[in-house]
Amino acid sequence: MQDVCIIGGGIVGLATANALLTKRPGISITVLEQEQQPGLHQTGHNSGVIHSGIYYAPGSLKARLCREGAAATEAFCAENDIPVEVCGKHLVATNALEASRMEALAQRADENNIAYERIDATELRSREPAIAGVGALFIPSTGIVDYQLICQVLARKITQSGGQVVYGARVDRIEETASQIVVHAAGQAYQARWLVACAG
């Protein structure tokens, strides 16, 4: 019997397990992942960007959590020797309509206290010859990271803290009673008091 069973060994499931083990040392946790290593689905098939939060409405929970999440991601990487490249990002307008929308993004950046630089077409061509645009906003705080590597570190921290990550464990059935939840995966039954679904 485990305290918590988490379905999904991507960044959400592993970060959840790590946070629970950090906040409640000694809690028993099992993470079930259908693949043979962590982060092979959405986590490993994105752009790897650590977003600045420019797209979100000022004052919104999304804007705040994006900024806090970026800072937390960079801090976690620094603590665990995971390379982060703060290379910045160009938000490119390819026509007049997009250029007007870019002005709205600049205003949103001002309101969210995100630094940016206006780039005209000539400067954009000089910086990025393969990109055709009428202008851009350059966001210097945007970074990139290998999220699969973050997952591997998280999985290692979970096992070092007494949790377990089970690979090749595709969930095919869940049973619930008044006292427990039983998760069936790859011919095994995992009993837990709480179930957290973090599958894609």
Side-chain angles (χ1 to χ4, degrees), residues 20-199:
L20 287 170
L21 286 163
T22 301
K23 291 180 184 297
R24 297 194 175 192
I27 194 172
S28 56
I29 292 182
T30 296
V31 179
L32 302 177
E33 167 55 44
Q34 68 176 345
E35 303 295 352
Q36 296 301 322
Q37 64 186 55
L40 288 184
H41 289 265
Q42 175 60 28
T43 300
H45 288 87
N46 57 53
S47 60
V49 171
I50 303 172
H51 290 280
S52 63
I54 189 172
Y55 297 110
Y56 302 126
S60 69
L61 185 61
K62 280 186 176 181
R64 179 171 67 81
L65 291 180
C66 189
R67 287 194 303 274
E68 291 176 5
T73 299
E74 290 176 7
F76 180 86
C77 290
E79 291 166 9
N80 293 280
D81 297 320
I82 298 170
V84 171
E85 183 181 354
V86 182
C87 53
K89 176 171 70 172
H90 288 96
L91 304 176
V92 178
T94 60
N95 55 44
L97 177 60
E98 289 180 356
S100 67
R101 291 177 179 162
M102 194 169 64
E103 289 306 309
L105 277 178
Q107 181 178 349
R108 186 159 281 187
D110 288 331
E111 292 168 346
N112 279 324
N113 199 28
I114 297 169
Y116 65 91
E117 180 184 353
R118 292 179 189 274
I119 305 296
D120 63 20
T122 303
E123 177 64 16
L124 177 63
R125 195 174 306 110
S126 172
R127 292 186 184 192
E128 300 289 347
I131 294 177
V134 297
L137 295 179
F138 178 66
I139 314 299
S141 61
T142 301
I144 54 174
V145 69
D146 183 342
Y147 283 108
Q148 280 185 288
L149 181 55
I150 291 178
C151 284
Q152 291 165 16
V153 172
L154 282 169
R156 187 167 62 248
K157 290 173 74 70
I158 289 164
T159 57
Q160 289 171 347
S161 298
Q164 64 175 338
V165 181
V166 182
Y167 298 108
R170 181 180 177 85
V171 174
D172 51 41
R173 186 160 49 99
I174 300 172
E175 298 172 340
E176 185 176 1
T177 70
S179 60
Q180 68 177 2
I181 298 165
V182 182
V183 181
H184 297 267
Q188 300 292 320
Y190 299 89
Q191 299 171 300
R193 292 181 176 86
W194 300 97
L195 174 66
V196 183
C198 297

